[in-house]
Amino acid sequence: MAVKVSKFGGSSVADGIQLNKIKEIIKSDPERRYIVVSAPGKRFDGDNKITDLLYLVKTTMENVLPYEQLFQVVCDRYTAVHANLGLTVDMQAAYDEILEKLKTNPSADYIASRGEYLNAMLIADLLGFDFVDAEGMIKFDENGRFLMEETNQAIRDELLSHEYAVIPGFYGSLPNGDIKTFPRGGSDITGSLVAGALGAECYENWTDVSGFLMADPRIVKNPKQIRTVSYKELRELSYMGASVLHEDAIYPARLADVPINIRNTNDPDDPGTMIVSQEKAIELKEKSGESDIITGIAGSKDFTVVALYKNIMSQERGFVRRILGILDDYNINFEHLPSGIDTVSVVMSNKQINGRLDEIINEFQSRLRPDSIDVIEGIAQIATVGHQMSARRGTAAKLFTALAEAGVNIRMIDQGSSELNIIVGVDNKDFNKAIQAIYGAFVEA
Ligand code: ASP
């Protein structure tokens, strides 16, 4: 039988009402055999995510304050669901085991991971599926680096003997058995790994929105939904700020050519967004008649551009290497390095600069001896993404005309040779206006 891996995020598993919805979704398709779950998320505005509460348990413990009550609040959430849904799994035994371990001052990773652990136990009981811990399947080396090959093998070895299983997301273990988590939102990665390792027919990622939108709805009114997007396009959009799926969750599924389908637990009839290879995306778009040239627009604010000028720089060897050396010394991941004949600009996020701009400029000054340095602060980057863009003449002209007509001054342009996207830098204050103008030119026109 074909296999679908279905991952349910925090809001989809926040309480008994949501769990009944996911049960119906899972039971409606027997191919949904491997279920990956997050810890319970917020049930309403102002509510706490279980994972946040568990990190708080660790902080409380570090401050040598009593943490038991706080942990009890966590347990109460599971107990309420257990009672509501008439489940039989012995949660008390699991709480007791964790409480014992808490006495030994375990790591934050261990404590945080219990959110997913307890939820997977509960949901396995609800569905009548096996509970299979992620601890033995998701593997990291002794330095905490993720081990792909070993993980793939372990997932296959373990899951092939379970016809239906629920697996906690977010964590795995180190060689010594200690728990290690992915970054926040990492249950998406677990789901992708399971789907990739098993060569699933589809990796369904169930959340509280019906997939990706072509632009941020806080900026563009009622943006169109993206029905089909390629892995590469999505990577660009996620990197630039579109968040629905953890950006590291794309790779494992993509490697195994498993389509990712973003779905809405609260609107299961909506087909959501399909994330597939470029060839498949073109095929699907043709079939469904989706004709937009661009796939989506995303961006983020607060970047700084440092432009270095030096006469006949083009003949000086090693200039860029030295720039990179300085960035390396400051542990900075730069965004782009647009260059001209006698100029190179370094685009960095303010987060990366982390208050060290003056120091970095001094370093550029003394180690590169440029003729001048210009610093432009408060820059926003906007990426307009789409495989079709390069195939159509006039795409760039259309984009720049739209921005000019909206009165937006373009401070920087960067277009990779993949021609998958065009990135423009504008003043922070023009961010919304620029996105609205681009959307208007390509989608509404
Ligand atoms: N529960 C974890 C978090 O809140 C992981 C996840 O939900 O994906 O970050």
Side-chain angles (χ1 to χ4, degrees):
M1 195 200 316
V3 172
K4 283 182 187 151
V5 173
S6 308
K7 180 259 169 182
F8 292 86
S11 59
S12 301
V13 290
D15 57 18
I17 299 172
Q18 292 303 89
L19 289 190
N20 272 331
K21 289 186 195 167
I22 77 157
K23 182 176 179 183
E24 208 174 309
I25 291 168
I26 296 162
K27 295 289 178 177
S28 70
D29 183 349
E31 290 182 357
R32 294 186 174 125
R33 290 175 44 197
Y34 300 111
I35 311 301
V36 175
V37 296
S38 282
K42 292 184 184 184
R43 294 159 294 183
F44 44 82
D45 270 356
D47 192 20
N48 289 307
K49 288 184 179 184
I50 288 291
T51 310
D52 291 334
L53 291 176
L54 288 168
Y55 280 118
L56 203 57
V57 167
K58 177 66 183 173
T59 317
T60 311
M61 200 178 267
E62 271 167 357
N63 289 301
V64 210
L65 291 166
Y67 56 80
E68 289 82 358
Q69 254 183 349
L70 194 54
F71 183 64
Q72 191 57 47
V73 173
V74 170
C75 298
D76 288 349
R77 288 239 344 229
Y78 294 97
T79 304
V81 173
H82 188 271
N84 265 340
L85 301 180
L87 302 178
T88 55
V89 58
D90 188 356
M91 295 304 281
Q92 192 57 50
Y95 306 151
D96 289 346
E97 192 191 306
I98 298 169
L99 268 169
E100 268 314 298
K101 178 92 176 180
L102 289 181
K103 290 184 191 150
T104 67
N105 192 19
S107 68
D109 281 18
Y110 167 79
I111 301 177
S113 74
R114 295 306 89 183
E116 270 69 11
Y117 174 82
L118 292 171
N119 217 20
M121 278 180 67
L122 209 63
I123 294 171
D125 189 26
L126 173 73
L127 299 171
F129 286 14
D130 297 340
F131 165 83
V132 179
D133 201 348
E135 187 183 328
M137 293 192 286
I138 308 290
K139 297 191 177 285
F140 297 86
D141 71 11
E142 53 283 350
N143 299 314
R145 268 188 303 254
F146 175 65
L147 297 169
M148 185 82 174
E149 296 273 307
E150 288 81 345
T151 297
N152 273 337
Q153 196 53 49
I155 290 174
R156 280 186 218 119
D157 290 348
E158 181 63 48
L159 290 183
L160 291 181
S161 58
H162 299 270
E163 206 179 350
Y164 290 93
V166 179
I167 303 131
F170 191 36
Y171 69 92
S173 64
L174 301 169
N176 67 3
D178 284 354
I179 296 290
K180 161 93 185 131
T181 60
F182 286 121
R184 294 300 303 265
S187 297
D188 283 346
I189 308 173
T190 310
S192 183
L193 287 166
V194 173
L198 299 179
E201 180 198 338
C202 184
Y203 169 33
E204 295 181 331
N205 190 291
W206 291 84
T207 174
D208 52 6
V209 289
S210 298
F212 285 87
L213 297 171
M214 290 186 77
D216 186 336
R218 288 166 299 187
I219 300 174
V220 170
K221 216 170 136 204
N222 290 329
K224 269 196 193 167
Q225 193 181 0
I226 303 180
R227 288 253 163 258
T228 314
V229 59
S230 75
Y231 301 115
K232 272 194 200 160
E233 289 172 325
L234 186 66
R235 172 90 181 105
E236 305 271 345
L237 290 168
S238 310
Y239 182 76
M240 292 298 283
S243 64
V244 171
L245 183 69
H246 195 291
E247 64 177 71
D248 295 339
I250 301 169
Y251 180 70
R254 176 182 174 182
L255 200 68
D257 207 14
V258 175
I260 306 173
N261 186 197
I262 309 288
R263 299 287 293 268
N264 188 349
T265 300
N266 305 318
D267 187 5
D269 293 333
D270 192 304
T273 299
M274 279 307 281
I275 308 161
V276 290
S277 66
Q278 181 178 342
E279 302 77 55
K280 190 101 193 113
I282 294 170
E283 195 188 306
L284 286 179
K285 281 185 184 194
E286 262 168 24
K287 250 197 220 151
S288 66
E290 287 167 86
S291 58
D292 288 310
I293 301 171
I294 67 166
T295 302
I297 310 163
S300 43
K301 290 185 182 175
D302 297 328
F303 294 88
T304 297
V305 183
V306 178
L308 303 152
Y309 300 86
K310 190 166 191 179
N311 203 20
I312 51 173
M313 179 198 290
S314 52
Q315 288 177 24
E316 183 174 328
R317 257 200 239 154
F319 195 82
V320 171
R321 180 168 44 77
R322 273 179 286 142
I323 296 180
L324 298 182
I326 296 169
L327 296 178
D328 211 18
D329 292 347
Y330 280 83
N331 226 337
I332 287 180
N333 291 330
F334 67 93
E335 301 284 319
H336 309 284
L337 216 58
S339 62
I341 296 178
D342 289 331
T343 69
V344 180
S345 300
V346 188
V347 185
M348 298 167 276
S349 72
N350 292 359
K351 220 170 164 185
Q352 289 281 327
I353 294 174
N354 196 12
R356 300 170 298 171
L357 186 60
D358 289 344
E359 262 177 72
I360 296 165
I361 289 175
N362 281 341
E363 204 72 15
F364 280 157
Q365 195 82 52
S366 63
R367 281 166 61 182
L368 301 166
R369 305 235 157 264
D371 297 332
S372 69
I373 299 185
D374 275 349
V375 178
I376 315 162
E377 292 184 77
I379 292 290
Q381 292 198 92
I382 298 167
T384 306
V385 177
H387 284 299
Q388 302 293 325
M389 285 165 56
S390 61
R392 305 277 176 100
R393 232 181 296 155
T395 307
K398 195 167 179 171
L399 192 143
F400 298 132
T401 307
L403 292 176
E405 279 172 1
V408 174
N409 185 16
I410 303 174
R411 308 294 300 259
M412 187 199 82
I413 300 170
D414 196 35
Q415 179 176 19
S417 52
S418 71
E419 295 194 44
L420 181 62
N421 65 9
I422 300 177
I423 295 171
V424 292
V426 302
D427 288 328
N428 271 344
K429 69 170 175 39
D430 288 334
F431 183 64
N432 288 8
K433 199 164 41 162
I435 292 180
Q436 286 154 359
I438 300 170
Y439 186 86
F442 284 99
V443 188
E444 282 168 346

